[in-house]
Amino acid sequence: MKKLTLLIIGLILTSSFIFAAKNITLKGSDTLLILGQKWAEIYMKKNPGTVIQVTGGGSGVGIAALINGTTDIAQASRPMKDKEKENVLEKRGVGANEIPVALDGITVYVNEKNPVGKLTFAQLKDIFQAKITNWKQVGGKDSRIILYGRENSSGTHVFFKEHVLNNEDYAVSVQPLPGTAAIVNAVAQDEKGIGYGGVAYAKGVKEILIAKDEKSGYYPPTMENIISGKYPISRYLFWYTAGTPKGEVKKLIDWILSPEGQKLVEEAGYFPLPKEKSK
Amino acid sequence: MKIRILFSLLLLPLYFSSVFAADTKISGESYPFYQLDLTNNGSGKGYNKFDLGRVYVNVTSKLSDEVSIRVTMDVDKMANEPRDFYLKYAYLDWNIEKFIPYSTLRFGLQSTGWIGSMEKVWGRRYVAKVLLDQNGILSSADYGLSYNINFPSGYGNASLLYLQGPGYKGKEENRFKDISAFFFVRPLVKLPDFAACMLGGYYYKGYSDKTDITSENNKDRLAGMATFAYGGIFKFTTEYFKAWERIDPGASKDTEKDGISLFGEIKFPMAKTSFLKKIALVGRYDLYDPDSDTENDEQRYILAGVEWEVIEGFNLMPNFQRTKTEGEKTKDTFILNALFKF
């Protein structure tokens, strides 16, 4: 029994010398991919001993990796579900730690040649449920509407479904694409197309102005409109860790929430956190 | 004949999967092991064998957002004994959140709750059963109806069950039904490093499974547990139970039983090497008194081992187990347990 006790103490002491990992993995949201890559690039330049690997796949993929212990940080464009938090607790023995890292306005993109420039919330819902199927029904040309969306594992897919479609199903005609960049690319080449995604990706396409209802004004997804609540489809973007972050992961999180890290949020095209949420 | 039925049951998931392709999932687990007796355990010191503890095959199917079903086959296979197989679970869950927040009704052959929950806390059913199951105090599954509530934000859960009594391997012999209730709370769930800390309580008001009994032929159990955990690094749990039984018709007095289980684990989540991250040091000590009126009948059980999660769904745990009943020889065993999940 004494030998066993000594073995246990020895193992604990040995492991304490090899703690403090310098490799950090980020996995998950495609919306956050370009921001995560930008943060990683600058942080690694400032901290040459640290290696940060950033991969996408969607919020669901990142959260599954956090549950399985194959990533240090899950990037997510939606809040974690209770069931997912329960799985983190069961598998990792700690709670999921939620860190809002940026603000995003879900932007609706159409082709630059499309004359439609504004939609109400209700029209948007009807379009993605195929109740409105022709652009002329919302003031555009007489042509079919082609719908582009994200896969089930995408946090943006889930957020759009919950907040725009009122948790009802998408039309079966929505073509799921593997990332926001793919949606922007598809819409940029398709005059009949419409898609949605993070504000930072809206390049080479037209941003649609959105109104809460017919009586309220139409607004673009700007910082002011999101904070004032005039733009109706905004969200926090999150990082999740299993348990309280420690060591190099904590240093990285402190840095991205600092003014320097939040400045990069703006440069990447997203919106920095309100002051009370940043450091 | 038994083999034919077994194959039919094992093929059932394939049938279900073709019928409900979109929302049906098949999973399962198997518990093979190698055992070496270090003392004379009946078959002689040095006796060793390969064997298989259990195989479970689960089929779950989501029929709608509100209704889902689960069927689980339990194959209890020991190499030197005839194969036994049972239907362990066959129930329907009806999510009634539209009427009562956070609530579900469950109907059919289902978990009795406490043992299943304690198995999650212990986390190593493939190595050993939990205290009440190991000592035959409670069946892990039974026929009946239950009301289950999940507290919001992960604060825990509670259940109220109306059960047949004899468990999933027994049949109803009398008019009595059993009632039980349990709860688990995680008061520190908002603190990620302490989120696994937990308290639980359980009460079971039951009746003897024999015929011709009266309401005095009780089978009551009371249990409680507490877990203290920090940062995924360590977790220590204690479980205590007390049982009162008057099994035989005509018996004039309850038999009282009690037991305590202490178990814990140490992990290395911050280790740099992926190997150490997958290692857990595990220990357990049980003390069980089968009759508080009888002297010198206490049973002790000690387990110490190292668990290695080789890959997701494949665990190995070499461990040492000692069982000791007062007045009898100590039995020491080395076991290499494995867990395969699919």
Side-chain angles (χ1 to χ4, degrees):
Chain A
M1 201 62 191
K2 270 186 185 172
K3 279 183 186 169
L4 184 68
T5 312
L6 283 172
L7 180 70
I8 291 169
I9 292 168
L11 264 172
I12 293 168
L13 288 175
T14 312
S15 60
S16 67
F17 285 112
I18 45 180
F19 281 179
K22 288 247 173 180
N23 288 334
I24 302 172
T25 52
L26 270 71
K27 193 179 273 187
S29 166
D30 284 308
T31 304
L32 265 167
L33 186 61
I34 49 175
L35 181 55
Q37 284 168 337
K38 197 167 186 72
W39 271 328
E41 183 192 332
I42 305 296
Y43 189 84
M44 285 192 289
K45 272 186 193 162
K46 292 168 68 76
N47 301 271
T50 304
V51 176
I52 304 173
Q53 292 174 312
V54 188
T55 50
S59 302
V61 172
I63 290 166
L66 188 73
I67 291 167
N68 293 327
T70 53
T71 189
D72 298 305
I73 295 165
Q75 299 202 106
S77 58
R78 62 165 172 85
M80 213 183 240
K81 296 169 189 166
D82 279 354
K83 182 69 187 163
E84 291 166 336
K85 287 179 180 172
E86 207 176 288
N87 288 342
V88 172
L89 187 54
E90 195 175 306
K91 191 83 174 85
R92 305 289 300 274
V94 284
N97 188 47
E98 182 180 276
I99 305 141
V101 294
L103 263 172
D104 185 27
I106 296 238
T107 307
V108 178
Y109 322 117
V110 294
N111 188 278
E112 286 181 327
K113 291 178 184 165
N114 191 326
V116 175
K118 58 184 186 177
L119 291 168
T120 66
F121 215 60
Q123 285 172 326
L124 196 55
K125 180 174 182 285
D126 286 348
I127 286 172
F128 276 90
Q129 293 192 306
K131 290 172 186 165
I132 294 175
T133 55
N134 192 301
W135 282 112
K136 75 177 178 186
Q137 291 174 269
V138 287
K141 293 177 186 170
D142 182 9
S143 68
R144 193 160 64 94
I145 298 175
I146 305 293
L147 303 169
Y148 296 102
R150 293 292 314 279
E151 298 150 316
N152 290 344
S153 59
S154 157
T156 309
H157 168 101
V158 174
F159 187 90
F160 196 85
K161 184 180 174 185
E162 286 175 357
H163 293 82
V164 179
L165 306 189
N166 201 19
N167 229 357
E168 293 167 21
D169 287 334
Y170 285 91
V172 288
S173 55
V174 177
Q175 296 180 35
L177 296 174
T180 309
I183 289 182
V184 169
N185 194 35
V187 171
Q189 294 178 36
D190 184 351
E191 283 186 41
K192 300 171 185 172
I194 183 169
Y196 58 83
V199 66
Y201 285 83
K203 292 178 180 68
V205 287
K206 187 201 277 189
E207 281 179 9
I208 292 284
L209 308 184
I210 304 288
K212 279 182 189 172
D213 53 53
E214 286 171 357
K215 290 173 191 165
S216 61
Y218 292 85
Y219 297 94
T222 61
M223 180 78 181
E224 301 78 49
N225 292 337
I226 285 170
I227 288 175
S228 66
K230 287 176 179 166
Y231 188 79
I233 340 171
S234 65
R235 59 183 173 172
Y236 280 106
L237 303 173
F238 302 99
W239 276 12
Y240 284 95
T241 60
T244 309
K246 295 175 183 73
E248 201 63 28
V249 173
K250 183 178 184 321
K251 271 174 68 181
L252 172 64
I253 290 168
D254 286 345
W255 178 76
I256 65 147
L257 296 177
S258 71
E260 190 184 354
Q262 288 294 297
K263 192 163 177 280
L264 292 174
V265 173
E266 271 186 289
E267 285 178 26
Y270 303 85
F271 306 119
L273 294 169
K275 279 188 180 157
E276 68 273 12
K277 293 241 181 198
S278 59
K279 289 195 174 179
Chain B
M1 185 63 186
K2 269 193 169 181
I3 291 174
R4 277 187 197 168
I5 297 170
L6 172 67
F7 277 118
S8 306
L9 286 173
L10 290 174
L11 286 172
L12 212 57
L14 299 176
Y15 168 74
F16 275 121
S17 67
S18 61
V19 175
F20 303 112
D23 295 298
T24 299
K25 289 179 185 164
I26 302 165
S27 62
E29 49 195 73
S30 166
Y31 307 157
F33 65 89
Y34 168 76
Q35 176 184 325
L36 169 65
D37 291 351
L38 304 174
T39 54
N40 188 347
N41 292 356
S43 301
K45 186 178 176 183
Y47 172 79
N48 64 96
K49 66 170 181 176
F50 291 93
D51 213 327
L52 187 59
R54 265 315 209 266
V55 178
Y56 294 109
V57 181
N58 307 305
V59 185
T60 54
S61 188
K62 193 175 171 188
L63 305 183
S64 73
D65 284 344
E66 283 82 32
V67 179
S68 60
I69 58 168
R70 174 178 174 177
V71 176
T72 296
M73 271 76 76
D74 172 354
V75 185
D76 186 357
K77 168 78 178 76
M78 299 295 279
N80 56 347
E81 292 169 11
R83 184 185 289 116
D84 268 328
F85 54 91
Y86 306 90
L87 199 57
K88 177 148 189 178
Y89 302 130
Y91 61 76
L92 178 142
D93 272 340
W94 180 24
N95 185 325
I96 53 167
E97 285 187 338
K98 281 181 185 169
F99 312 107
I100 310 172
Y102 314 112
S103 298
T104 307
L105 286 178
R106 180 170 289 178
F107 177 67
L109 177 56
Q110 58 190 286
S111 168
T112 51
W114 181 260
I115 286 178
S117 302
M118 287 309 299
E119 278 176 356
K120 277 190 180 176
V121 179
W122 162 233
R124 291 162 185 97
R125 168 66 185 83
Y126 72 102
V127 176
K129 295 176 179 176
V130 292
L131 180 69
L132 275 82
D133 198 9
Q134 184 137 299
N135 295 294
I137 304 300
L138 195 68
S139 175
S140 56
D142 204 348
Y143 301 85
L145 176 69
S146 65
Y147 167 75
N148 308 281
I149 182 163
N150 279 313
F151 306 137
S153 307
Y155 276 105
N157 59 289
S159 295
L160 184 63
L161 301 97
Y162 184 67
L163 298 169
Q164 184 119 293
Y168 71 113
K169 292 178 184 173
K171 66 166 188 169
E172 184 59 289
E173 299 281 3
N174 55 54
R175 64 189 171 87
F176 294 97
K177 293 285 173 284
D178 299 353
I179 293 173
S180 75
F182 68 87
F183 71 89
F184 288 94
V185 290
R186 293 194 190 102
L188 305 178
V189 75
K190 291 292 177 197
L191 303 173
D193 285 344
F194 294 97
C197 293
M198 189 156 72
L199 295 168
Y202 180 62
Y203 180 67
Y204 186 100
K205 173 66 191 166
Y207 297 92
S208 170
D209 303 325
K210 298 194 172 182
T211 53
D212 301 327
I213 61 161
T214 69
S215 60
E216 288 194 333
N217 290 104
N218 60 322
K219 191 181 69 179
D220 302 343
R221 285 88 175 85
L222 188 66
M225 65 80 70
T227 292
F228 181 70
Y230 173 74
I233 298 169
F234 63 80
K235 182 167 86 169
F236 297 109
T237 300
T238 180
E239 179 188 15
Y240 173 80
F241 83 88
K242 196 160 178 68
W244 298 265
E245 292 180 350
R246 199 177 300 191
I247 298 297
D248 294 320
S252 59
K253 184 172 176 297
D254 286 356
T255 300
E256 288 187 22
K257 306 175 177 192
D258 64 7
I260 189 165
S261 182
L262 306 165
F263 55 86
E265 63 183 35
I266 298 171
K267 289 183 173 178
F268 309 99
M270 299 289 284
K272 192 173 180 181
T273 61
S274 58
F275 173 72
L276 261 185
K277 283 183 180 178
K278 302 285 185 183
I279 292 291
L281 306 177
V282 180
R284 177 168 153 184
Y285 173 76
D286 289 3
L287 178 62
Y288 169 54
D289 182 356
D291 187 347
S292 56
D293 286 344
T294 305
E295 294 289 319
N296 302 324
D297 62 344
E298 287 185 341
Q299 297 168 16
R300 286 176 170 75
Y301 170 73
I302 295 170
L303 183 150
V306 180
E307 183 179 56
W308 176 28
E309 185 186 9
V310 185
I311 52 169
E312 176 78 16
F314 172 31
N315 287 17
L316 283 175
M317 184 162 153
N319 61 92
F320 166 82
Q321 294 186 27
R322 168 173 287 179
T323 51
K324 167 80 176 155
T325 302
E326 281 190 83
E328 294 179 18
K329 282 185 182 174
T330 301
K331 292 176 182 175
D332 290 344
T333 311
F334 167 81
I335 305 181
L336 177 63
N337 289 100
L339 167 68
F340 305 151
K341 279 185 176 178
F342 60 91

